[in-house]
Amino acid sequence: MMHTLYRLMLATAAIALFASPLHAKTAPCLQERLGYPAGARILIIHADDFGMAHSVNRAIEQALENGWVTSASVMVPCPWFPEVVRWAHAHPQADLGLHLVLDSEWTGYRWGPVAPVDKVQSLLDKEGYFYDDPSLFAHVKLQDVRTELDAQIDRARAMGLQVSHLDSHMIALSSTRHLFGVYQDTGRAYDLPIALVKNGSYRMPAGVVPPPNALALDRVITMDPGVPPNRWFDWYKRNLSSLKPGIYQLIVHLAYDDQEFRGATFDHPDWGAAWRQRDFDMVRSAQFRQFLREQKFILTNWGELSKRYRTRVQPHY
């Protein structure tokens, strides 16, 4: 009797032990649920500002055609947007999102709304352009923001652009919780993913955390001012090689350092012509491509991630 009781106690203890959180099966991470290995580092190499200028367009087109970047986002209000549309029609396989625009940051090279001016007055400065400082967006009318974002997306679609995702120029739509709410609503309304980043990113409003099931990046890697030109590639190597398994986006800014873009950015070296030429030289270099291979990054784009998400995970845009 005692032996039977003892064996029963041991069996009960074993069941309790293996049912405990310490021995519970770990839930699959997002990259596993999307069909990638658990230890994979998934990377989107993303070019911002497609459509901003002819110089920018030339560089991004070349980068997309050669696979030096895997995705880009388009600025509909900018003067060179029609050139992007023409190129996109000839390259329907290209992964293109919309770089939703509420600001116009250069001194002598400006742009304004796609929506009728009288419908978006709070978005405009005294000269009729978008403001050049995202800090001013705390005072805009949210209905004006909705009207302008809808106008940009509707114009892109009307011109035949196949849109894979939405993101925000100069992170303007993440500058306040209210603007971020409009951003989320817009993504849901058009059934397009927005560039969500997990908790702790400066690209999300303070206190805002994506739902657990959301298609969210672990981190966005993008260079800020202060890196010496001779340390450019080293900065990218250091920041990419340190990444743990997860889903990441590397944002680069591409252009030729030519007369057009030097003129547009003459008083703004940060993200200006020379900066963008260095980014362009880096992504197209054999050294950078070899580094990515050695690091075993799995390269993808927004369209592929979204497709996997829709077929494997319940969408929560």
Side-chain angles (χ1 to χ4, degrees):
M1 179 71 178
M2 290 296 295
H3 287 294
T4 302
L5 181 60
Y6 181 66
R7 285 196 298 270
L8 181 60
M9 291 172 62
L10 286 177
T12 303
I15 293 171
L17 174 63
F18 285 98
S20 70
L22 290 175
H23 287 81
K25 181 175 174 58
T26 304
C29 58
L30 180 57
Q31 58 263 35
E32 285 183 285
R33 299 178 71 192
L34 293 173
Y36 298 106
R41 294 186 296 173
I42 315 302
L43 183 66
I44 300 170
I45 306 178
H46 189 274
D48 271 1
D49 302 342
F50 205 10
M52 177 183 283
H54 179 57
S55 174
V56 172
N57 288 357
R58 288 172 55 219
I60 293 179
E61 288 166 8
Q62 191 175 355
L64 285 167
E65 289 170 13
N66 287 281
W68 302 333
V69 301
T70 60
S71 180
S73 54
V74 182
M75 299 175 72
V76 176
C78 291
W80 286 90
F81 169 67
E83 182 178 62
V84 174
V85 172
R86 186 171 66 250
W87 179 87
H89 288 167
H91 299 83
Q93 79 287 352
D95 186 78
L96 300 179
L98 294 186
H99 205 41
L100 298 172
V101 182
L102 292 179
D103 41 0
S104 178
E105 67 271 28
W106 310 112
T107 302
Y109 182 51
R110 310 294 307 282
W111 46 79
V114 172
V117 171
D118 63 339
K119 302 293 186 183
V120 292
Q121 281 290 330
S122 72
L123 305 183
L124 308 180
D125 65 15
K126 62 182 180 181
E127 296 172 342
Y129 299 111
F130 287 134
Y131 289 110
D132 64 357
D133 183 354
S135 68
L136 298 171
F137 298 159
H139 308 292
V140 302
K141 296 179 180 178
L142 295 182
Q143 184 54 52
D144 290 4
V145 174
R146 292 187 183 93
T147 298
E148 177 57 24
L149 298 186
D150 287 350
Q152 291 181 24
I153 299 170
D154 291 346
R155 183 182 182 195
R157 287 185 163 179
M159 295 183 73
L161 208 63
Q162 300 299 310
V163 179
S164 66
H165 68 286
L166 304 175
D167 58 31
S168 175
H169 184 50
M170 295 179 67
I171 329 175
L173 290 167
S174 297
S175 60
T176 73
R177 285 188 176 221
H178 295 305
L179 284 171
F180 192 76
V182 175
Y183 186 24
Q184 289 180 298
D185 290 345
T186 301
R188 293 189 193 101
Y190 287 90
D191 196 25
L192 291 169
I194 67 173
L196 293 172
V197 188
K198 291 181 181 176
N199 193 28
S201 171
Y202 73 100
R203 292 178 169 266
M204 300 284 286
V208 175
V209 180
N213 211 32
L215 178 57
L217 303 165
D218 286 277
R219 183 180 157 197
V220 171
I221 301 92
T222 186
M223 185 181 288
D224 289 322
V227 179
N230 65 344
R231 305 299 296 173
W232 213 257
F233 183 43
D234 291 339
W235 186 93
Y236 281 108
K237 284 176 62 177
R238 184 174 67 255
N239 281 272
L240 289 170
S241 62
S242 64
L243 297 177
K244 297 178 180 179
I247 303 172
Y248 301 94
Q249 179 168 255
L250 171 65
I251 295 179
V252 292
H253 298 84
L254 310 182
Y256 285 92
D257 185 7
D258 59 14
Q259 186 174 0
E260 179 205 21
F261 211 61
R262 285 195 297 271
T265 63
F266 73 96
D267 63 344
H268 204 309
D270 296 337
W271 297 282
W275 176 304
R276 292 172 189 248
Q277 181 75 65
R278 288 193 293 272
D279 261 5
F280 185 39
D281 290 342
M282 185 205 64
V283 298
R284 65 179 176 175
S285 70
Q287 186 182 16
F288 182 64
R289 297 196 300 277
Q290 179 61 27
F291 164 77
L292 294 175
R293 287 191 292 270
E294 290 172 352
Q295 290 289 315
K296 296 182 171 55
F297 282 106
I298 297 176
L299 302 185
T300 190
N301 57 45
W302 276 102
E304 176 63 21
L305 280 185
S306 180
K307 178 182 177 181
R308 286 172 177 257
Y309 183 70
R310 290 171 185 274
T311 58
R312 297 169 182 264
V313 184
Q314 288 297 317
H316 283 278
Y317 294 150

